Amino acid sequence: MTSPLAQRELALVDLLDRLLAGGVVIAGDLTLRIADVDLVRIDLNALISSVNAEVPSPFEEPL
């Protein structure tokens, strides 16, 4: 038996809307190394989410 969601088509806009409504966390590490010497290290941590009146921006001062 297949899942009902397996045959359902989902537009990219709908997928982005669902992801932003719940929030997305992106995390990663990148290291540039030559001869076992770390030259550059980049750590990425990002939270992508929508902001509306019910969930205000964390960067604004409360009124």
Side-chain angles (χ1 to χ4, degrees):
M1 181 174 172
T2 61
S3 169
L5 292 177
Q7 296 176 358
R8 183 175 171 206
E9 291 185 19
L10 187 65
L12 181 60
V13 173
D14 293 334
L15 178 63
L16 286 174
D17 185 46
R18 288 183 185 189
L19 288 175
L20 290 177
V24 178
V25 175
I26 301 172
D29 296 322
L30 176 69
T31 303
L32 178 61
R33 177 183 293 185
I34 297 177
D36 289 332
V37 176
D38 292 346
L39 299 176
V40 177
R41 180 177 177 167
I42 299 172
D43 294 327
L44 172 67
N45 295 310
L47 170 65
I48 302 172
S49 179
S50 62
V51 177
N52 58 31
E54 296 168 359
V55 182
S57 170
F59 304 111
E60 294 179 2
E61 293 292 324
L63 297 177

Short mmCIF file of all heavy atoms in Angstrom, two decimals:
data_model
loop_
_atom_site.label_atom_id
_atom_site.label_comp_id
_atom_site.label_asym_id
_atom_site.label_seq_id
_atom_site.Cartn_x
_atom_site.Cartn_y
_atom_site.Cartn_z
N MET A 1 0.84 -1.19 0.00
CA MET A 1 0.00 0.00 0.00
C MET A 1 0.88 1.24 0.00
O MET A 1 1.79 1.37 0.81
CB MET A 1 -0.90 -0.02 1.23
CG MET A 1 -1.82 1.15 1.31
SD MET A 1 -2.93 0.89 2.70
CE MET A 1 -3.70 2.44 2.71
N THR A 2 0.61 2.15 -0.90
CA THR A 2 1.41 3.37 -0.98
C THR A 2 0.77 4.47 -0.15
O THR A 2 -0.43 4.49 0.09
CB THR A 2 1.54 3.84 -2.44
OG1 THR A 2 0.24 4.12 -2.95
CG2 THR A 2 2.22 2.79 -3.29
N SER A 3 1.60 5.39 0.25
CA SER A 3 1.14 6.52 1.04
C SER A 3 0.36 7.49 0.15
O SER A 3 0.72 7.70 -1.01
CB SER A 3 2.35 7.24 1.63
OG SER A 3 1.97 8.46 2.19
N PRO A 4 -0.70 8.13 0.67
CA PRO A 4 -1.43 9.10 -0.14
C PRO A 4 -0.58 10.31 -0.52
O PRO A 4 -0.81 10.95 -1.53
CB PRO A 4 -2.62 9.52 0.72
CG PRO A 4 -2.40 8.94 2.05
CD PRO A 4 -1.32 7.94 1.96
N LEU A 5 0.45 10.62 0.28
CA LEU A 5 1.32 11.74 -0.03
C LEU A 5 2.32 11.41 -1.13
O LEU A 5 2.86 12.31 -1.75
CB LEU A 5 2.07 12.19 1.23
CG LEU A 5 1.23 12.81 2.32
CD1 LEU A 5 2.09 13.14 3.53
CD2 LEU A 5 0.50 14.04 1.83
N ALA A 6 2.55 10.12 -1.39
CA ALA A 6 3.52 9.73 -2.41
C ALA A 6 3.03 10.12 -3.80
O ALA A 6 3.83 10.40 -4.68
CB ALA A 6 3.77 8.24 -2.33
N GLN A 7 1.74 10.16 -4.04
CA GLN A 7 1.21 10.48 -5.35
C GLN A 7 0.76 11.94 -5.45
O GLN A 7 0.33 12.36 -6.51
CB GLN A 7 0.03 9.55 -5.66
CG GLN A 7 0.45 8.10 -5.75
CD GLN A 7 -0.73 7.18 -5.97
OE1 GLN A 7 -1.86 7.62 -6.03
NE2 GLN A 7 -0.45 5.91 -6.09
N ARG A 8 0.87 12.68 -4.40
CA ARG A 8 0.42 14.07 -4.39
C ARG A 8 1.53 14.98 -4.92
O ARG A 8 2.67 14.89 -4.51
CB ARG A 8 0.07 14.48 -2.96
CG ARG A 8 -0.46 15.87 -2.86
CD ARG A 8 -0.90 16.17 -1.45
NE ARG A 8 -1.21 17.57 -1.36
CZ ARG A 8 -1.15 18.27 -0.25
NH1 ARG A 8 -0.82 17.67 0.87
NH2 ARG A 8 -1.45 19.53 -0.23
N GLU A 9 1.17 15.86 -5.86
CA GLU A 9 2.13 16.82 -6.39
C GLU A 9 2.14 18.05 -5.49
O GLU A 9 1.10 18.48 -5.00
CB GLU A 9 1.75 17.21 -7.81
CG GLU A 9 1.94 16.10 -8.80
CD GLU A 9 1.68 16.55 -10.21
OE1 GLU A 9 1.71 17.76 -10.48
OE2 GLU A 9 1.43 15.68 -11.06
N LEU A 10 3.31 18.60 -5.30
CA LEU A 10 3.47 19.76 -4.42
C LEU A 10 4.29 20.81 -5.15
O LEU A 10 5.39 20.54 -5.61
CB LEU A 10 4.18 19.34 -3.13
CG LEU A 10 4.31 20.35 -2.03
CD1 LEU A 10 2.93 20.73 -1.50
CD2 LEU A 10 5.14 19.81 -0.91
N ALA A 11 3.75 22.00 -5.28
CA ALA A 11 4.45 23.08 -5.97
C ALA A 11 5.57 23.59 -5.08
O ALA A 11 5.52 23.51 -3.84
CB ALA A 11 3.48 24.20 -6.29
N LEU A 12 6.60 24.14 -5.70
CA LEU A 12 7.75 24.66 -4.97
C LEU A 12 7.33 25.78 -4.02
O LEU A 12 7.82 25.88 -2.90
CB LEU A 12 8.81 25.16 -5.95
CG LEU A 12 10.08 25.71 -5.33
CD1 LEU A 12 10.77 24.64 -4.49
CD2 LEU A 12 11.01 26.22 -6.40
N VAL A 13 6.41 26.61 -4.44
CA VAL A 13 5.92 27.71 -3.59
C VAL A 13 5.24 27.14 -2.34
O VAL A 13 5.45 27.64 -1.23
CB VAL A 13 4.95 28.60 -4.38
CG1 VAL A 13 4.30 29.63 -3.48
CG2 VAL A 13 5.67 29.27 -5.53
N ASP A 14 4.45 26.10 -2.50
CA ASP A 14 3.80 25.48 -1.34
C ASP A 14 4.82 24.87 -0.40
O ASP A 14 4.69 24.97 0.83
CB ASP A 14 2.81 24.40 -1.80
CG ASP A 14 1.63 24.98 -2.55
OD1 ASP A 14 1.29 26.15 -2.31
OD2 ASP A 14 1.05 24.25 -3.39
N LEU A 15 5.85 24.25 -0.95
CA LEU A 15 6.89 23.65 -0.12
C LEU A 15 7.63 24.73 0.67
O LEU A 15 7.85 24.58 1.87
CB LEU A 15 7.86 22.87 -1.00
CG LEU A 15 9.03 22.23 -0.27
CD1 LEU A 15 8.54 21.19 0.72
CD2 LEU A 15 9.98 21.62 -1.27
N LEU A 16 8.00 25.83 0.01
CA LEU A 16 8.67 26.93 0.71
C LEU A 16 7.78 27.54 1.78
O LEU A 16 8.25 27.88 2.87
CB LEU A 16 9.11 27.99 -0.29
CG LEU A 16 10.31 27.64 -1.15
CD1 LEU A 16 10.55 28.73 -2.19
CD2 LEU A 16 11.53 27.41 -0.31
N ASP A 17 6.49 27.67 1.49
CA ASP A 17 5.55 28.22 2.46
C ASP A 17 5.49 27.33 3.71
O ASP A 17 5.52 27.83 4.84
CB ASP A 17 4.17 28.37 1.83
CG ASP A 17 3.19 29.03 2.78
OD1 ASP A 17 3.55 30.05 3.39
OD2 ASP A 17 2.05 28.52 2.89
N ARG A 18 5.44 26.04 3.51
CA ARG A 18 5.39 25.12 4.66
C ARG A 18 6.68 25.14 5.45
O ARG A 18 6.67 25.10 6.68
CB ARG A 18 5.10 23.70 4.18
CG ARG A 18 3.69 23.52 3.71
CD ARG A 18 3.43 22.10 3.32
NE ARG A 18 2.09 21.97 2.76
CZ ARG A 18 1.54 20.82 2.49
NH1 ARG A 18 2.19 19.70 2.69
NH2 ARG A 18 0.32 20.78 1.99
N LEU A 19 7.82 25.21 4.75
CA LEU A 19 9.11 25.24 5.45
C LEU A 19 9.27 26.52 6.25
O LEU A 19 9.72 26.50 7.40
CB LEU A 19 10.25 25.10 4.46
CG LEU A 19 10.43 23.72 3.84
CD1 LEU A 19 11.53 23.76 2.78
CD2 LEU A 19 10.77 22.70 4.90
N LEU A 20 8.91 27.67 5.66
CA LEU A 20 9.07 28.93 6.36
C LEU A 20 8.08 29.09 7.50
O LEU A 20 8.37 29.75 8.50
CB LEU A 20 8.93 30.10 5.38
CG LEU A 20 10.08 30.24 4.39
CD1 LEU A 20 9.79 31.37 3.42
CD2 LEU A 20 11.39 30.44 5.10
N ALA A 21 6.90 28.48 7.39
CA ALA A 21 5.92 28.55 8.48
C ALA A 21 6.46 27.85 9.72
O ALA A 21 6.24 28.30 10.84
CB ALA A 21 4.60 27.94 8.04
N GLY A 22 7.16 26.74 9.53
CA GLY A 22 7.70 26.01 10.66
C GLY A 22 9.12 26.39 11.00
O GLY A 22 9.59 26.20 12.11
N GLY A 23 9.85 26.94 10.04
CA GLY A 23 11.24 27.31 10.25
C GLY A 23 12.17 26.23 9.72
O GLY A 23 11.83 25.05 9.70
N VAL A 24 13.33 26.66 9.28
CA VAL A 24 14.35 25.76 8.75
C VAL A 24 15.67 26.11 9.41
O VAL A 24 16.02 27.29 9.52
CB VAL A 24 14.48 25.91 7.22
CG1 VAL A 24 15.56 25.02 6.67
CG2 VAL A 24 13.17 25.64 6.52
N VAL A 25 16.41 25.11 9.83
CA VAL A 25 17.73 25.32 10.40
C VAL A 25 18.76 24.74 9.43
O VAL A 25 18.63 23.61 8.99
CB VAL A 25 17.87 24.63 11.78
CG1 VAL A 25 19.30 24.76 12.30
CG2 VAL A 25 16.89 25.22 12.76
N ILE A 26 19.75 25.57 9.09
CA ILE A 26 20.83 25.14 8.21
C ILE A 26 22.12 25.18 9.02
O ILE A 26 22.43 26.20 9.64
CB ILE A 26 20.95 26.06 6.98
CG1 ILE A 26 19.65 26.07 6.20
CG2 ILE A 26 22.12 25.63 6.11
CD1 ILE A 26 19.61 27.09 5.10
N ALA A 27 22.86 24.09 9.03
CA ALA A 27 24.12 24.04 9.76
C ALA A 27 25.17 23.34 8.90
O ALA A 27 24.85 22.38 8.19
CB ALA A 27 23.95 23.29 11.07
N GLY A 28 26.39 23.84 8.95
CA GLY A 28 27.44 23.21 8.17
C GLY A 28 28.81 23.73 8.56
O GLY A 28 28.95 24.77 9.19
N ASP A 29 29.83 22.97 8.21
CA ASP A 29 31.22 23.32 8.46
C ASP A 29 32.00 23.18 7.16
O ASP A 29 31.77 22.24 6.40
CB ASP A 29 31.86 22.39 9.49
CG ASP A 29 31.22 22.50 10.85
OD1 ASP A 29 30.86 23.62 11.24
OD2 ASP A 29 31.09 21.47 11.51
N LEU A 30 32.90 24.12 6.91
CA LEU A 30 33.76 24.07 5.73
C LEU A 30 35.17 24.40 6.18
O LEU A 30 35.40 25.42 6.84
CB LEU A 30 33.29 25.08 4.68
CG LEU A 30 34.14 25.21 3.43
CD1 LEU A 30 34.03 23.93 2.60
CD2 LEU A 30 33.72 26.40 2.63
N THR A 31 36.11 23.52 5.85
CA THR A 31 37.50 23.74 6.24
C THR A 31 38.38 23.62 5.00
O THR A 31 38.31 22.62 4.28
CB THR A 31 37.96 22.70 7.28
OG1 THR A 31 37.09 22.77 8.40
CG2 THR A 31 39.37 22.96 7.73
N LEU A 32 39.21 24.64 4.76
CA LEU A 32 40.19 24.61 3.68
C LEU A 32 41.51 24.22 4.30
O LEU A 32 42.04 24.92 5.16
CB LEU A 32 40.29 25.99 3.01
CG LEU A 32 41.31 26.12 1.89
CD1 LEU A 32 40.98 25.16 0.75
CD2 LEU A 32 41.36 27.54 1.39
N ARG A 33 42.05 23.08 3.86
CA ARG A 33 43.23 22.50 4.48
C ARG A 33 44.24 22.16 3.40
O ARG A 33 43.91 21.56 2.39
CB ARG A 33 42.82 21.25 5.24
CG ARG A 33 43.95 20.51 5.88
CD ARG A 33 43.46 19.26 6.54
NE ARG A 33 42.60 19.61 7.66
CZ ARG A 33 42.09 18.71 8.49
NH1 ARG A 33 42.30 17.44 8.30
NH2 ARG A 33 41.32 19.11 9.47
N ILE A 34 45.50 22.53 3.65
CA ILE A 34 46.60 22.17 2.76
C ILE A 34 47.69 21.54 3.62
O ILE A 34 48.14 22.13 4.60
CB ILE A 34 47.15 23.39 1.99
CG1 ILE A 34 46.06 23.97 1.09
CG2 ILE A 34 48.38 23.02 1.18
CD1 ILE A 34 46.46 25.20 0.34
N ALA A 35 48.11 20.33 3.25
CA ALA A 35 49.17 19.59 3.95
C ALA A 35 48.86 19.47 5.44
O ALA A 35 49.72 19.70 6.29
CB ALA A 35 50.53 20.25 3.72
N ASP A 36 47.62 19.11 5.75
CA ASP A 36 47.16 18.92 7.13
C ASP A 36 47.27 20.19 7.98
O ASP A 36 47.40 20.11 9.21
CB ASP A 36 47.88 17.77 7.81
CG ASP A 36 47.46 16.43 7.24
OD1 ASP A 36 46.31 16.34 6.76
OD2 ASP A 36 48.27 15.47 7.29
N VAL A 37 47.24 21.35 7.34
CA VAL A 37 47.22 22.62 8.07
C VAL A 37 45.92 23.33 7.72
O VAL A 37 45.66 23.62 6.54
CB VAL A 37 48.44 23.50 7.67
CG1 VAL A 37 48.36 24.86 8.36
CG2 VAL A 37 49.74 22.80 8.00
N ASP A 38 45.10 23.59 8.73
CA ASP A 38 43.84 24.30 8.51
C ASP A 38 44.13 25.76 8.20
O ASP A 38 44.73 26.47 9.01
CB ASP A 38 42.93 24.21 9.74
CG ASP A 38 42.43 22.80 9.99
OD1 ASP A 38 42.56 21.97 9.07
OD2 ASP A 38 41.91 22.55 11.09
N LEU A 39 43.71 26.21 7.02
CA LEU A 39 43.92 27.60 6.63
C LEU A 39 42.69 28.44 6.88
O LEU A 39 42.78 29.56 7.38
CB LEU A 39 44.31 27.68 5.15
CG LEU A 39 45.61 26.95 4.77
CD1 LEU A 39 45.82 27.04 3.28
CD2 LEU A 39 46.78 27.54 5.52
N VAL A 40 41.51 27.92 6.51
CA VAL A 40 40.26 28.65 6.66
C VAL A 40 39.21 27.69 7.19
O VAL A 40 39.09 26.57 6.70
CB VAL A 40 39.79 29.25 5.32
CG1 VAL A 40 38.44 29.93 5.49
CG2 VAL A 40 40.82 30.19 4.75
N ARG A 41 38.48 28.13 8.20
CA ARG A 41 37.38 27.33 8.71
C ARG A 41 36.14 28.22 8.81
O ARG A 41 36.19 29.30 9.39
CB ARG A 41 37.69 26.75 10.08
CG ARG A 41 36.55 25.92 10.59
CD ARG A 41 36.84 25.28 11.89
NE ARG A 41 35.64 24.57 12.32
CZ ARG A 41 35.62 23.72 13.29
NH1 ARG A 41 36.71 23.44 13.93
NH2 ARG A 41 34.49 23.13 13.62
N ILE A 42 35.06 27.75 8.21
CA ILE A 42 33.80 28.50 8.22
C ILE A 42 32.74 27.62 8.85
O ILE A 42 32.54 26.48 8.43
CB ILE A 42 33.39 28.89 6.79
CG1 ILE A 42 34.44 29.79 6.15
CG2 ILE A 42 32.03 29.59 6.81
CD1 ILE A 42 34.21 30.07 4.70
N ASP A 43 32.09 28.13 9.89
CA ASP A 43 30.96 27.46 10.53
C ASP A 43 29.70 28.22 10.17
O ASP A 43 29.65 29.44 10.33
CB ASP A 43 31.11 27.41 12.04
CG ASP A 43 32.28 26.56 12.48
OD1 ASP A 43 32.57 25.57 11.79
OD2 ASP A 43 32.88 26.89 13.51
N LEU A 44 28.69 27.51 9.69
CA LEU A 44 27.44 28.15 9.30
C LEU A 44 26.31 27.60 10.16
O LEU A 44 26.11 26.39 10.23
CB LEU A 44 27.13 27.88 7.82
CG LEU A 44 25.76 28.31 7.32
CD1 LEU A 44 25.67 29.82 7.34
CD2 LEU A 44 25.48 27.77 5.95
N ASN A 45 25.60 28.51 10.82
CA ASN A 45 24.40 28.18 11.57
C ASN A 45 23.37 29.24 11.23
O ASN A 45 23.60 30.41 11.49
CB ASN A 45 24.64 28.16 13.08
CG ASN A 45 25.59 27.07 13.49
OD1 ASN A 45 25.40 25.92 13.12
ND2 ASN A 45 26.61 27.42 14.24
N ALA A 46 22.28 28.83 10.62
CA ALA A 46 21.27 29.81 10.20
C ALA A 46 19.88 29.27 10.50
O ALA A 46 19.62 28.08 10.36
CB ALA A 46 21.40 30.09 8.71
N LEU A 47 19.01 30.16 10.93
CA LEU A 47 17.61 29.85 11.14
C LEU A 47 16.81 30.71 10.18
O LEU A 47 16.94 31.93 10.19
CB LEU A 47 17.18 30.14 12.58
CG LEU A 47 15.68 30.07 12.85
CD1 LEU A 47 15.17 28.65 12.66
CD2 LEU A 47 15.37 30.56 14.25
N ILE A 48 16.03 30.09 9.33
CA ILE A 48 15.21 30.79 8.35
C ILE A 48 13.76 30.53 8.71
O ILE A 48 13.33 29.39 8.77
CB ILE A 48 15.51 30.33 6.92
CG1 ILE A 48 16.99 30.54 6.62
CG2 ILE A 48 14.63 31.06 5.92
CD1 ILE A 48 17.44 29.96 5.33
N SER A 49 13.02 31.62 8.95
CA SER A 49 11.63 31.49 9.36
C SER A 49 10.87 32.73 8.93
O SER A 49 11.46 33.79 8.73
CB SER A 49 11.55 31.32 10.87
OG SER A 49 10.22 31.22 11.29
N SER A 50 9.58 32.59 8.79
CA SER A 50 8.76 33.76 8.47
C SER A 50 8.45 34.53 9.74
O SER A 50 8.46 33.99 10.84
CB SER A 50 7.46 33.32 7.78
OG SER A 50 6.71 32.52 8.66
N VAL A 51 8.19 35.83 9.59
CA VAL A 51 7.88 36.70 10.72
C VAL A 51 6.57 37.40 10.39
O VAL A 51 6.38 37.92 9.30
CB VAL A 51 9.00 37.74 10.93
CG1 VAL A 51 8.64 38.68 12.06
CG2 VAL A 51 10.31 37.05 11.21
N ASN A 52 5.64 37.38 11.35
CA ASN A 52 4.37 38.08 11.16
C ASN A 52 3.98 38.74 12.48
O ASN A 52 4.75 38.74 13.43
CB ASN A 52 3.29 37.14 10.63
CG ASN A 52 3.05 35.95 11.55
OD1 ASN A 52 3.21 36.05 12.76
ND2 ASN A 52 2.67 34.83 10.98
N ALA A 53 2.79 39.29 12.55
CA ALA A 53 2.34 40.00 13.76
C ALA A 53 2.22 39.06 14.95
O ALA A 53 2.44 39.46 16.10
CB ALA A 53 1.01 40.69 13.49
N GLU A 54 1.88 37.81 14.71
CA GLU A 54 1.74 36.86 15.82
C GLU A 54 3.10 36.39 16.34
O GLU A 54 3.24 36.06 17.50
CB GLU A 54 0.91 35.66 15.36
CG GLU A 54 -0.51 36.04 14.99
CD GLU A 54 -1.23 34.92 14.27
OE1 GLU A 54 -0.63 33.86 14.04
OE2 GLU A 54 -2.41 35.12 13.93
N VAL A 55 4.08 36.32 15.45
CA VAL A 55 5.44 35.94 15.84
C VAL A 55 6.36 37.07 15.40
O VAL A 55 6.87 37.07 14.29
CB VAL A 55 5.86 34.61 15.15
CG1 VAL A 55 7.24 34.20 15.60
CG2 VAL A 55 4.85 33.52 15.42
N PRO A 56 6.58 38.07 16.25
CA PRO A 56 7.36 39.23 15.84
C PRO A 56 8.84 38.92 15.66
O PRO A 56 9.33 37.90 16.13
CB PRO A 56 7.14 40.22 16.98
CG PRO A 56 6.79 39.38 18.15
CD PRO A 56 6.10 38.15 17.61
N SER A 57 9.52 39.82 15.01
CA SER A 57 10.95 39.68 14.77
C SER A 57 11.71 39.75 16.10
O SER A 57 11.43 40.61 16.94
CB SER A 57 11.43 40.79 13.84
OG SER A 57 12.83 40.79 13.78
N PRO A 58 12.71 38.91 16.31
CA PRO A 58 13.50 38.98 17.56
C PRO A 58 14.45 40.17 17.57
O PRO A 58 15.03 40.48 18.60
CB PRO A 58 14.25 37.66 17.57
CG PRO A 58 14.35 37.26 16.15
CD PRO A 58 13.10 37.77 15.49
N PHE A 59 14.62 40.87 16.45
CA PHE A 59 15.56 41.97 16.36
C PHE A 59 14.94 43.32 16.69
O PHE A 59 15.66 44.29 16.83
CB PHE A 59 16.19 42.01 14.95
CG PHE A 59 16.84 40.71 14.59
CD1 PHE A 59 16.31 39.91 13.61
CD2 PHE A 59 17.99 40.28 15.24
CE1 PHE A 59 16.90 38.71 13.28
CE2 PHE A 59 18.59 39.08 14.90
CZ PHE A 59 18.05 38.30 13.93
N GLU A 60 13.64 43.40 16.80
CA GLU A 60 12.98 44.65 17.12
C GLU A 60 12.73 44.76 18.62
O GLU A 60 12.48 43.76 19.30
CB GLU A 60 11.65 44.74 16.38
CG GLU A 60 11.80 44.82 14.87
CD GLU A 60 10.46 44.89 14.16
OE1 GLU A 60 9.42 44.90 14.85
OE2 GLU A 60 10.45 44.91 12.93
N GLU A 61 12.80 45.97 19.12
CA GLU A 61 12.52 46.22 20.53
C GLU A 61 11.03 46.09 20.78
O GLU A 61 10.22 46.59 19.99
CB GLU A 61 13.00 47.61 20.93
CG GLU A 61 14.50 47.77 20.89
CD GLU A 61 15.19 46.95 21.96
OE1 GLU A 61 14.64 46.82 23.07
OE2 GLU A 61 16.28 46.43 21.68
N PRO A 62 10.60 45.44 21.88
CA PRO A 62 9.16 45.36 22.18
C PRO A 62 8.60 46.73 22.52
O PRO A 62 9.29 47.58 23.08
CB PRO A 62 9.08 44.41 23.38
CG PRO A 62 10.47 44.31 23.90
CD PRO A 62 11.42 44.76 22.84
N LEU A 63 7.34 46.94 22.18
CA LEU A 63 6.69 48.24 22.43
C LEU A 63 6.23 48.37 23.86
O LEU A 63 5.90 47.58 24.58
CB LEU A 63 5.51 48.44 21.49
CG LEU A 63 5.92 48.47 20.02
CD1 LEU A 63 4.67 48.58 19.15
CD2 LEU A 63 6.83 49.66 19.75
#
